C-alpha cells in the first residue's frame, strides 16, 4: 500500500504546471481548458474512490509502473476569455488516503457552480484492487480491477475490461460494456430497453 505517515495524505494539483492549455469562445461564452498531471510513488494493490460531478472517469491498472498517476482535465466558461481563465485557475483536485488505506480523489471547484464546469479524471496505478467510481454526468471506464468494484453514472456509457472480481454497474442513461471479466456482474439501467447479449468474451447491456 502507499507509504504514508499516520496522518492523512493530502496532495494538491494546483501547484503543478499545466500539460496543455486550450482556449475557445462561443457566441455568448468563452472557454478555457487545462490539463494537469501528478504522480505518487506507491506499493502494493490500491483501492480507489473517484468521484466527479461533471466529466468522465477512467481507472486503469498499469503493470510495470511504480506510481499512481492522476491526469485531470479541467474546463470552465466565462463571459469573457479573462473570466474563463480566472475561473479555471481556481479548480483543483485533492488526493487523500483515508483511514482504511483507500485513495480518495475529488475535484475541488468554486461555488456557486456554473454551467459547463467540468473535471475529467484519468487514474492509473501499478496494481489495482477495487474501485468505486461515480460521475453525475460522464462516461466511466475500469480496467484490470482485482477486487469488487462499483461504477455509477447518471448519464454516460460504462465499460469494464479485464476485471477478475465482482462488478456492480448502474447507469440512468447509457450503454454498458463488460469484456473479459470472469466474475459476477450486476447491471442496473433506468432508461429504455435493458438487456444482456453474450458474444464470446463480451457481455453488453443497453439502456
Amino acid at each position: 500500500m502507499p507509504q504514508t505517515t499516520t496522518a492523512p495524505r493530502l496532495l494538491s494539483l494546483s501547484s503543478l504546471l499545466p500539460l496543455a492549455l486550450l482556449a475557445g469562445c462561443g457566441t455568448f461564452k468563452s472557454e478555457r481548458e487545462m490539463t494537469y498531471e501528478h504522480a505518487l510513488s506507491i506499493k502494493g494493490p490500491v483501492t480507489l474512490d473517484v468521484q466527479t460531478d461533471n466529466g468522465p472517469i477512467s481507472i486503469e491498472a498499469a503493470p510495470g509502473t511504480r506510481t499512481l498517476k492522476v491526469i485531470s482535465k479541467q474546463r470552465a466558461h466565462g463571459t469573457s476569455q479573462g473570466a474563463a481563465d480566472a475561473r479555471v485557475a481556481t479548480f483543483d483536485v485533492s488526493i487523500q488516503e483515508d483511514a482504511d488505506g483507500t485513495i480518495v480523489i475529488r475535484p475541488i471547484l468554486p461555488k456557486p457552480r456554473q454551467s459547463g464546469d467540468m473535471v475529467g479524471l484519468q487514474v492509473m496505478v501499478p496494481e489495482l484492487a477495487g474501485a468505486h467510481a461515480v460521475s453525475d454526468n460522464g462516461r466511466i471506464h475500469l480496467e484490470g480491477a482485482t477486487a469488487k468494484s462499483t461504477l455509477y453514472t447518471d448519464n454516460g456509457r460504462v465499460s469494464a475490461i479485464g476485471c477478475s472480481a465482482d462488478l456492480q454497474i448502474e447507469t440512468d442513461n447509457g450503454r454498458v460494456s463488460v469484456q473479459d471479466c470472469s466474475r459476477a456482474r450486476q447491471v442496473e439501467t433506468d432508461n429504455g430497453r435493458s438487456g444482456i447479449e453474450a458474444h464470446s468474451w463480451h457481455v453488453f447491456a443497453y439502456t
Side-chain angles (χ1 to χ4, degrees):
M1 294 303 297
Q3 297 176 328
T4 64
T5 62
T6 56
R9 179 176 56 239
L10 178 62
L11 303 173
S12 171
L13 301 187
S14 60
S15 62
L16 301 178
L17 293 175
L19 297 178
L21 185 62
L22 302 175
C25 58
T27 304
F28 302 107
K29 289 186 177 181
S30 296
E31 175 182 301
R32 177 68 72 183
E33 184 174 291
M34 302 177 73
T35 301
Y36 292 91
E37 178 179 323
H38 187 84
L40 173 67
S41 296
I42 56 172
K43 290 183 178 180
V46 176
T47 299
L48 296 171
D49 182 343
V50 184
Q51 298 187 30
T52 185
D53 288 338
N54 182 32
I57 295 173
S58 176
I59 299 172
E60 302 176 30
T65 63
R66 296 183 178 180
T67 59
L68 180 153
K69 181 183 291 186
V70 178
I71 298 174
S72 169
K73 184 176 181 179
Q74 305 170 178
R75 185 182 67 214
H77 293 90
T79 55
S80 66
Q81 193 61 61
D85 294 352
R87 183 168 181 81
V88 79
T90 66
F91 288 16
D92 203 351
V93 173
S94 71
I95 307 172
Q96 190 169 9
E97 184 176 19
D98 68 12
D100 68 2
T102 298
I103 303 297
V104 180
I105 301 172
R106 299 284 190 275
I108 302 173
L109 281 75
K111 295 182 178 179
R113 301 288 176 85
Q114 292 184 2
S115 175
D117 286 351
M118 186 277 289
V119 178
L121 297 168
Q122 181 181 5
V123 185
M124 291 167 281
V125 296
E127 295 181 72
L128 177 61
H132 176 69
V134 179
S135 175
D136 288 343
N137 182 35
R139 67 185 182 273
I140 296 178
H141 175 75
L142 177 67
E143 187 168 342
T146 59
K148 183 177 180 180
S149 299
T150 55
L151 312 174
Y152 302 103
T153 180
D154 287 338
N155 183 35
R157 68 181 184 269
V158 181
S159 59
I161 300 175
C163 299
S164 58
D166 292 353
L167 294 172
Q168 183 174 346
I169 298 172
E170 182 175 345
T171 176
D172 289 343
N173 182 28
R175 177 175 177 267
V176 177
S177 172
V178 180
Q179 178 180 347
D180 296 343
C181 295
S182 58
R183 295 290 295 275
R185 295 166 293 274
Q186 178 181 345
V187 178
E188 298 181 11
T189 60
D190 293 335
N191 182 29
R193 183 169 66 91
S194 175
I196 295 177
E197 301 177 9
H199 301 285
S200 94
W201 311 318
H202 299 69
V203 175
F204 298 98
Y206 301 89
T207 63

